[in-house]
Amino acid sequence: MKRLLVVVDMQKDFIDGSLGTKEAQEIVPKVIERVKSGQAAGEEVIFTLDTHGEDYLETLEGRKLAVKHCLKGTEGWQLCKELAGMDGRRFEKGTFGSLECAAYGAEGGYDQVELIGLCTDICVISNAMLMKAAMPQTRILVRADCCAGVTPESHENALKAMEMCQIEIL
């Protein structure tokens, strides 16, 4: 079985930086363990990186979320130190979901795609839905204990929404 593990936005700004949360910090060890076990099992692992420029506050997203974060090249943009040196293709994305990442998944002939990371209610759900649209016959899974949302309530709401769209929640 050909499997893909997508690690969504495990970047410093979302963990303990400008938009960090206690819940995000708590999932880091589980995410690291899952990535290591996936690599050991021969799964392909890829990473998305929320990527913005200095003009972020002038963008539509920046006008709605007026907190500079994940500015390319800054410390906050980097993957957390435990993941930074790990092998895996990186997909920079200027918005919540990556069309490029979904196309990569669709072209890869995967039997299963699993997503983990941050934030469940924004970027994880966006990427899961894009993967589902690009690969409607592929099992798309989200591992709940390796994800955190902006709030615990929005995390749970996102999990329920994905489940309604036939994304398996582990």
Side-chain angles (χ1 to χ4, degrees):
M1 181 189 289
K2 191 172 180 188
R3 299 164 92 167
L4 178 65
L5 178 62
V6 181
V7 183
V8 179
D9 298 358
M10 287 299 296
Q11 295 162 270
K12 184 168 177 44
D13 272 348
F14 292 127
I15 297 168
D16 60 4
S18 60
L19 293 173
T21 65
K22 168 180 69 84
E23 293 82 12
Q25 293 167 31
E26 289 172 354
I27 70 163
V28 171
K30 293 175 188 168
V31 168
I32 293 163
E33 181 181 315
R34 178 65 189 94
V35 171
K36 287 181 178 178
S37 70
Q39 289 175 330
E43 294 178 359
E44 182 177 359
V45 179
I46 62 174
F47 301 86
T48 68
L49 294 164
D50 197 45
T51 303
H52 302 293
E54 284 297 329
D55 67 340
Y56 172 74
L57 295 177
E58 299 164 24
T59 67
L60 180 60
E61 179 184 328
R63 289 192 297 271
K64 293 184 178 280
L65 175 62
V67 177
K68 282 189 175 186
H69 65 280
C70 298
L71 301 181
K72 187 169 182 169
T74 65
E75 184 181 359
W77 176 73
Q78 302 295 324
L79 286 172
C80 69
K81 67 179 184 222
E82 299 88 347
L83 296 174
M86 291 188 175
D87 290 336
R89 184 168 176 176
R90 272 63 167 161
F91 290 88
E92 294 180 15
K93 57 184 189 58
T95 188
F96 306 134
S98 172
L99 293 170
E100 183 184 8
C101 186
Y104 180 83
E107 293 164 7
Y110 298 97
D111 299 298
Q112 176 178 300
V113 176
E114 181 180 323
L115 295 95
I116 59 176
L118 301 168
C119 293
T120 319
D121 43 345
I122 301 172
C123 295
V124 173
I125 192 172
S126 295
N127 283 287
M129 295 301 288
L130 288 171
M131 290 284 184
K132 188 68 177 168
M135 299 174 277
Q137 299 306 314
T138 300
R139 286 182 68 205
I140 308 295
L141 305 95
V142 170
R143 186 169 297 275
D145 68 343
C146 288
C147 293
V150 174
T151 68
E153 297 79 19
S154 62
H155 166 79
E156 290 300 324
N157 288 338
L159 294 173
K160 288 176 187 172
M162 287 185 280
E163 194 169 41
M164 290 301 297
C165 294
Q166 300 179 356
I167 292 168
E168 297 176 50
I169 306 302
L170 304 173

